[in-house]
Amino acid sequence: MLSLQEYISIKLHKVDLKLTGYIKAKLEPFNIAPEQNLIMMLLWEQDGLTQSQIAAKLNKDKTNIARMASNLEQKGFITRQACPHDKRSIKLFVTEKGEDLGKKVIPVAEQFNELVSGGFTKKELEELDRLLTKISYNLD
């Protein structure tokens, strides 16, 4: 029988808690939660994604994305608009306030990534990505 410390799922959970706690504290001054920031990161990369596209990219429930988008809109970081060719689809667009947020938050995200990947070689990071992807596939 495995000890509690030998379960890979426990180790991953502990790391996830540390990652989430760290980035949550770093994002708090900007009035944005880590999951909301994931949406913003996608929009800073490609403005005008639909809520469905974001849900698929983040592997999140569409209802959850809609709720977070509403919250981001209330904060003034995005606007939501119905697609002209499909009124059921909602596109998200970054506002000027959202662009200003990006200028502050993207460097924080980059520093966080550097901290997390510190000490790893490029080959080790590629292997870690491969292994995490394998775990995800195992769960599917």
Side-chain angles (χ1 to χ4, degrees):
M1 182 168 156
L2 295 174
S3 75
L4 196 59
Q5 295 305 314
E6 292 173 314
Y7 282 94
I8 190 68
S9 59
I10 300 292
K11 290 181 181 189
L12 288 170
H13 178 66
K14 287 180 176 180
V15 171
D16 180 51
L17 289 173
K18 281 186 176 184
L19 290 168
T20 302
Y22 185 91
I23 197 63
K24 184 178 180 183
K26 292 291 183 183
L27 293 175
E28 193 172 19
F30 305 106
N31 190 28
I32 189 165
E35 286 201 331
Q36 293 171 341
N37 189 55
L38 293 176
I39 293 172
M40 294 304 298
M41 294 291 284
L42 287 173
L43 293 173
W44 289 321
E45 192 175 284
Q46 184 182 347
D47 202 20
L49 292 171
T50 66
Q51 290 180 171
S52 294
Q53 289 171 317
I54 291 170
K57 287 177 183 278
L58 297 178
N59 199 23
K60 295 279 184 188
D61 180 75
K62 289 178 187 178
T63 305
N64 193 13
I65 295 298
R67 182 185 47 76
M68 286 191 285
S70 175
N71 194 280
L72 288 167
E73 187 174 44
Q74 288 172 6
K75 292 177 181 182
F77 298 141
I78 66 165
T79 58
R80 295 186 296 170
Q81 298 173 13
C83 292
H85 60 279
D86 181 2
K87 299 292 184 197
R88 294 170 298 160
S89 289
I90 306 293
K91 286 190 171 196
L92 308 182
F93 295 94
V94 179
T95 63
E96 191 174 323
K97 184 176 179 182
E99 289 293 339
D100 291 342
L101 176 71
K103 292 173 186 163
K104 299 171 194 163
V105 169
I106 291 172
V108 170
E110 289 173 350
Q111 290 168 354
F112 179 59
N113 192 59
E114 287 175 25
L115 173 69
V116 170
S117 60
F120 285 98
T121 65
K122 185 175 190 238
K123 190 172 184 169
E124 287 172 327
L125 289 171
E126 289 169 354
E127 180 68 359
L128 177 60
D129 181 62
R130 187 187 72 75
L131 293 171
L132 291 172
T133 300
K134 192 172 185 176
I135 289 171
S136 183
Y137 284 137
N138 287 346
L139 293 171
D140 288 340

